[in-house]
Amino acid sequence: MLRAAVCVSGGGTNLQAILDAMDAGTLTNTEIIAVISNNPGAKALSRARGRGIPALVLSPKDYPDREAFDEAFTAKLCELAPDLIVLAGFLVKIPPQLVARFSNRIINIHPALIPSFCGVGYYGLKVHEKVLERGVKLTGATVHFVNEGMDEGPIIAQKAVQVEETDTPEILQRRVMEQAEWILLPRAMDDFANGRLRVVDGRVRRV
Ligand code: GAR
């Protein structure tokens, strides 16, 4: 059984999609051993506690500097020793030492079609604002392995979503979640948990 730790910063609708997929039997062979947030007010924490999943808060604000936070965050994940770390709307940069320890065992959901609308400054609603500003007609979501770059690791899955002329960032965000994120993330976890993903020469192959 895959032991997964899920990191969240806010609403936790992707965490909910993971839990719903486990209930529905479409995400198999997986146990959520902990939910970790940088934000003590994250709704995701109460979603986890409601299910009896240990919910922890580790915030950069509680440490003297970034280095101290990175050390503590890495130490906590190493202590938990998950098989997979899932960034489900986690808006904190992952410490490089954690990436090194969990090579190809950290996955992230990004609300755009990488390599568009990603990298520094592209997170959450901001992504959808930029999409609308640029006037692209198609956007979507991407699940990828996390490497030392920002949104640069091997891509596991993508799904396109239509942009409508009347969209606001909030409306578009909701459509991208419903039509792409909440489907892609649990499916990628199921693929990982059942040994269907291999990284070969920096690209993901399904086996
Ligand atoms: C999601 O749209 C996720 O793709 C995005 O934050 C939102 C979190 O929503 N993540 C990023 O922007 C990462 N770069 P949620 O808390 O309701 O799952």
Side-chain angles (χ1 to χ4, degrees):
M1 175 89 72
L2 182 96
R3 299 169 67 257
V6 183
C7 301
V8 292
S9 292
T13 64
N14 278 285
L15 170 67
Q16 190 62 52
I18 292 166
L19 298 172
D20 290 349
M22 290 171 71
D23 290 345
T26 51
L27 168 51
T28 59
N29 199 26
T30 299
E31 174 195 1
I32 308 297
I33 58 160
V35 169
I36 302 167
S37 183
N38 60 308
N39 171 12
K43 192 174 170 196
L45 291 170
S46 46
R47 289 183 202 265
R49 290 191 184 113
R51 300 272 299 216
I53 299 169
L56 321 169
V57 177
L58 271 100
S59 169
K61 291 186 190 143
D62 298 333
Y63 293 86
D65 53 31
R66 192 51 190 239
E67 211 170 291
F69 169 76
D70 281 0
E71 287 294 327
F73 189 74
T74 302
K76 177 49 79 181
L77 263 309
C78 288
E79 181 193 319
L80 290 167
D83 302 307
L84 179 69
I85 299 172
V86 180
L87 310 183
F90 190 58
L91 306 182
V92 174
K93 183 151 176 32
I94 296 302
Q97 59 267 45
L98 186 65
V99 174
R101 290 287 288 268
F102 286 83
S103 176
N104 293 333
R105 289 194 294 139
I106 308 176
I107 65 174
N108 179 48
I109 179 89
H110 183 75
L113 294 173
I114 289 175
S116 290
F117 302 102
C118 65
V120 177
Y122 286 87
Y123 57 90
L125 204 57
K126 286 184 192 299
V127 175
H128 306 292
E129 288 167 1
K130 304 266 189 205
V131 162
L132 292 177
E133 269 167 39
R134 185 63 185 84
V136 297
K137 307 304 179 201
L138 269 184
T139 184
T142 303
V143 186
H144 64 94
F145 283 111
V146 172
N147 66 8
E148 49 297 323
M150 185 69 111
D151 300 328
E152 288 175 5
I155 291 170
I156 298 168
Q158 295 187 294
K159 194 164 186 291
V161 173
Q162 194 74 37
V163 180
E164 305 292 347
E165 285 187 3
T166 53
D167 277 347
T168 62
E170 290 80 7
I171 290 171
L172 182 58
Q173 178 182 51
R174 182 76 190 183
R175 187 179 314 114
V176 169
M177 285 175 161
E178 282 177 358
Q179 294 186 7
E181 296 186 42
W182 299 341
I183 300 164
L184 287 184
L185 187 58
R187 193 187 285 162
M189 289 176 68
D190 188 60
D191 284 341
F192 188 95
N194 291 289
R196 289 192 290 267
L197 303 178
R198 292 274 180 285
V199 180
V200 181
D201 297 333
R203 275 172 289 184
V204 176
R205 298 263 177 268
R206 287 177 62 90
V207 291

